Amino acid sequence: MSEPTTSAGDFIADVVRADIESGTYGGRVQTRFPPEPNGYLHIGHAKALIADFGIAEQFDGICNLRFDDTNPDAEDVEYVDSILADIAWLGFRPHKVVYASDYFEQLYEWAESMIVRGLAYVDDQDAETISAQRGGYGKPGIESPYRDRSVEENLDLFRRMRAGEYADGEKVLRAKVDMQSDNMQMRDPVMYRIRRAHHHRTGDTWVIYPTYDWTHGQSDAIEGVTHSMCTLEFVGHRPLYDWFLLHLDLPHDKPQQLEFARLELNNTVTSKRKLRTLVTDHVVDGWDDPRMPTLQGLRRRGYPASAIRAFCAYIGVNKTNSRHSLEELESFVRTELNRVAQRRMAVLRPLKLVLDNWPTEDGRTLGEARAAGDEAVGITQWFEIANNPENPADGARQVPFTGQLWIEQDDFAATPPPKFFRLSPGREVRLRGAYLVTATDVVFDASGAVTEVHATYDPASRGGNSPDGRKVKSTMHWVSAPHAMAAEVRTYDRLFSADVPGEATGDPFDDLNRDSVQVYAAQVEPALAPGAGGVEPGQVVQFERIGYFAADGVEPMLFHRTVGLKDEWAALQKRVG
Ligand code: ATP
Ligand code: MG
């Protein structure tokens, strides 16, 4: 991959470099990306992916994809499959794909070894009691009455837990650490719970499931992970991570946990749970709705994987709060699309423009033919228009032009307000790459709305050039009406109206923007037709003067607006700077 995936000087790279220099792990570097398959990956995961895969790549190490699948209630193969697809799309190739559930037997054996060492016990109390007894900061913990069971009794009970002799929630296995620790994670955390639920990989083999804390570090150790990166909320879990590993006979050197800040983006949420609520409440059309910050949503919206990687490299891997604006991310998307997207013309809100002096096949003008009651459109001329001025290698296409055109409603004003330089009666404008035209007449409907504009074109201005150097203040896009194709175009606004959803009330859903989609019945040039020579599903094109749009690949044609043309981030920077 050509783009840098980690930013220079990030602190994790410094730790890894120091470990290599001092010979820890024999110079080996191994990381893992450990998603729980309980939802789709989002933009925050891209940051973690860059950290995990980027560090491995930077130091010639390896990175496994490990599904952290210890919670059968919430997990599903649908999520496993989507995560695999998303990681491949972002351009990362895991050294191996592994599952925490692959280690259930080993984890069980290690749990027995903890019991034998007097470091774990079976507790008969229910979850609420255990939680209440944990205490809090400055509030002492209460030891369970079952804490001092003998090794033999604990072993027997734990084996019977596995054998399915108890009901769900009837018993748990807990680590015997320190009920007075200042770190709540160390107050005898739960290692196993009884849960009869079908697991997407192990089926009904197990009725006891290990907790995150009892699984994570041990999985790292089994695989030979050296640097185990996670987000800052796990800082408090690190002593427990180390404590478990300290008491086990490990096949490799002890891995170390390193924490970095979660990526938060304004006007959206990056939590699988909240994203799931958006899906189940039908606020959006699914995990891949183009408004979603999921990788599938962003992809469908037209965000290039390379732009997401470049954004993550730019924000870096940091230890403090990492909140960014959507405009920043969009700026990377726009930069990439400006380079690669072909230009096309599309009219979102079509208004008919008739060129009265346009020639027809039989020698009359269009005006004359129409006055005689003929539905003529006039002859067709073809104009060669560059596909992408930023990239001459993209060549040019032939665009048909006739005497009946679609222009944007916004590009015409019957009574122009001050500083309106687009088309209005008596005003001359340029139709991009075609001709200069002057509006002559306006047709209104009963409600006073403009239904049709009449104009004349200057035959000497072919190609859109001003024949005598006369000034024309605007250039507008257009589509030949008889050649145009209908397409649905959707533009999107922020999913949440507040920068930090829920900041005011505590509930992000209070800040939902219920009006985040706008649908247009557009008319687009024929080169946008799907299939050979046209656009491929997922391809992003620039609609001239409007923005970047991703083809959805469905019939009839559907386009999603990726981003507008204006770099709002640059504008924001200027205002601040
Ligand atoms: P969620 O709360 O959205 O379910 P999670 O933290 O439980 O997220 P996992 O899928 O279990 O997510 O995590 C996979 C990896 O991605 C973890 O290392 C996690 O720390 C990291 N990660 C998750 N969300 C973010 C984020 N917003 N920014 C950076 N890293 C993240
Ligand atoms: Mg999680």
Side-chain angles (χ1 to χ4, degrees):
M1 172 178 321
S2 54
E3 294 83 1
T5 43
T6 52
S7 56
D10 84 52
F11 77 98
I12 291 177
D14 293 343
V15 171
V16 174
R17 202 173 290 113
D19 281 339
I20 291 173
E21 279 162 15
S22 66
T24 325
Y25 308 115
R28 248 170 25 84
V29 175
Q30 184 172 335
T31 60
R32 86 289 167 264
F33 175 69
E36 183 181 354
N38 63 350
Y40 284 62
L41 297 185
H42 51 64
I43 182 74
H45 290 109
K47 175 175 177 175
L49 279 159
I50 297 273
D52 295 325
F53 282 92
I55 285 287
E57 183 181 286
Q58 189 178 347
F59 295 101
D60 289 326
I62 56 176
C63 179
N64 286 346
L65 166 60
R66 184 202 310 143
F67 287 101
D68 189 12
D69 56 348
T70 57
N71 209 345
D73 292 320
E75 296 159 5
D76 198 89
V77 280
E78 174 195 351
Y79 304 128
V80 170
D81 293 343
S82 76
I83 290 169
L84 286 168
D86 287 348
I87 291 175
W89 175 69
L90 268 188
F92 297 112
R93 212 167 319 121
H95 176 69
K96 279 199 284 188
V97 178
V98 290
Y99 296 80
S101 56
D102 295 343
Y103 313 136
F104 280 175
E105 191 61 47
Q106 171 72 76
L107 291 170
Y108 176 84
E109 281 167 28
W110 271 340
E112 284 205 354
S113 81
M114 294 294 281
I115 292 174
V116 169
R117 291 178 199 207
L119 297 173
Y121 62 97
V122 172
D123 195 335
D124 295 359
Q125 301 181 110
D126 59 24
E128 296 83 74
T129 310
I130 290 173
S131 162
Q133 289 178 349
R134 185 155 286 140
Y137 293 102
K139 199 168 154 226
I142 299 167
E143 296 192 351
S144 164
Y146 301 98
R147 198 170 195 263
D148 292 317
R149 278 176 158 153
S150 69
V151 168
E152 292 68 35
E153 189 184 3
N154 278 320
L155 265 185
D156 176 56
L157 291 172
F158 187 47
R159 287 174 183 161
R160 288 162 68 180
M161 277 171 66
R162 175 180 183 167
E165 290 187 27
Y166 308 111
D168 287 13
E170 204 180 323
K171 289 183 168 32
V172 292
L173 184 73
R174 293 178 74 179
K176 194 169 180 176
V177 194
D178 177 3
M179 284 307 288
Q180 306 312 330
S181 174
D182 289 339
N183 180 334
M184 297 309 125
Q185 311 298 335
M186 300 296 271
R187 293 191 177 182
D188 290 11
V190 173
M191 295 166 64
Y192 275 91
R193 58 214 191 281
I194 304 173
R195 182 79 189 103
R196 282 172 180 76
H198 191 80
H199 187 283
H200 65 102
R201 283 179 65 82
T202 58
D204 300 313
T205 308
W206 293 87
V207 296
I208 56 171
Y209 287 96
T211 55
Y212 170 87
D213 286 308
W214 175 243
T215 308
H216 208 91
Q218 284 64 265
S219 302
D220 286 342
I222 290 168
E223 286 165 28
V225 167
T226 56
H227 300 85
S228 178
M229 290 162 250
C230 60
T231 38
L232 281 173
E233 65 270 27
F234 290 99
V235 167
H237 295 244
R238 195 191 327 140
L240 182 58
Y241 179 102
D242 291 336
W243 187 87
F244 278 138
L245 293 177
L246 186 69
H247 293 100
L248 296 170
D249 296 321
L250 303 178
H252 300 278
D253 292 330
K254 194 189 90 51
Q256 61 178 306
Q257 177 181 305
L258 297 162
E259 308 88 7
F260 62 86
R262 284 179 89 87
L263 165 64
E264 306 287 355
L265 269 188
N266 281 353
N267 305 99
T268 192
V269 291
T270 47
S271 139
K272 280 182 284 184
R273 190 174 47 79
K274 289 172 193 151
L275 293 173
R276 181 176 310 104
T277 306
L278 292 171
V279 174
T280 51
D281 288 1
H282 303 289
V283 174
V284 296
D285 293 332
W287 287 95
D288 67 346
D289 185 295
R291 290 166 293 175
M292 290 283 268
T294 53
L295 295 181
Q296 304 227 350
L298 298 175
R299 176 183 184 175
R300 187 147 166 245
R301 175 107 174 230
Y303 280 39
S306 56
I308 294 173
R309 289 200 309 265
F311 169 72
C312 290
Y314 146 82
I315 63 175
V317 178
N318 32 20
K319 265 190 211 186
T320 46
N321 167 33
S322 170
R323 174 167 285 283
H324 292 269
S325 72
L326 278 174
E327 288 83 357
E328 280 175 272
L329 172 57
E330 287 172 348
S331 183
F332 282 87
V333 171
R334 197 176 288 109
T335 302
E336 175 67 5
L337 291 178
N338 182 45
R339 209 168 56 77
V340 301
Q342 301 215 352
R343 275 53 169 171
R344 295 289 183 267
M345 290 197 283
V347 174
L348 263 46
R349 271 186 288 222
L351 171 64
K352 182 66 75 66
L353 178 70
V354 181
L355 303 181
D356 288 328
N357 62 339
W358 187 254
T360 64
E361 316 286 350
D362 60 16
R364 290 179 297 174
T365 63
L366 195 55
E368 289 161 355
R370 281 167 57 104
D374 294 346
E375 266 310 309
V377 294
I379 61 163
T380 301
Q381 286 186 7
W382 295 84
F383 289 97
E384 187 172 278
I385 298 185
N387 283 327
N388 184 357
E390 302 283 325
N391 183 17
D394 277 337
R397 69 192 184 285
Q398 297 291 325
V399 185
F401 186 94
T402 61
Q404 288 207 31
L405 303 154
W406 294 115
I407 60 168
E408 295 286 350
Q409 288 172 21
D410 290 354
D411 281 340
F412 178 79
T415 347
K419 297 204 175 136
F420 183 91
F421 298 121
R422 287 164 277 166
L423 196 61
S424 59
R427 169 88 45 78
E428 186 174 53
V429 299
R430 174 182 294 107
L431 294 182
R432 159 119 171 80
Y435 286 108
L436 304 187
V437 300
T438 305
T440 52
D441 201 9
V442 193
V443 182
F444 298 93
D445 67 11
S447 74
V450 178
T451 56
E452 195 170 275
V453 176
H454 287 259
T456 55
Y457 81 106
D458 177 356
S461 65
R462 194 184 149 87
N465 306 307
S466 178
D468 49 9
R470 65 181 186 267
K471 286 252 181 311
V472 175
K473 281 204 170 144
S474 4
T475 297
M476 303 174 1
H477 61 277
W478 49 270
V479 176
S480 166
H483 297 92
M485 306 196 318
E488 180 171 318
V489 173
R490 296 187 194 157
T491 65
Y492 300 101
D493 198 355
R494 309 296 187 226
L495 202 43
F496 293 85
S497 45
D499 277 359
V500 183
E503 195 178 34
T505 65
D507 181 359
F509 296 100
D510 289 339
D511 291 318
L512 255 187
N513 174 11
R514 297 268 171 196
D515 192 20
S516 50
V517 191
Q518 193 153 359
V519 178
Y520 297 89
Q523 294 286 339
V524 306
E525 67 166 282
L528 283 165
V535 295
E536 302 297 330
Q539 187 182 337
V540 183
V541 291
Q542 184 193 100
F543 289 173
E544 292 208 25
R545 298 176 64 227
I546 305 177
Y548 295 96
F549 290 79
D552 194 282
V554 298
E555 289 285 345
M557 276 192 279
L558 170 62
F559 290 91
H560 306 287
R561 185 172 68 181
T562 314
V563 284
L565 292 178
K566 214 168 67 219
D567 192 330
E568 288 145 295
W569 174 239
L572 283 175
Q573 293 288 80
K574 252 182 232 138
R575 226 174 298 152
V576 175

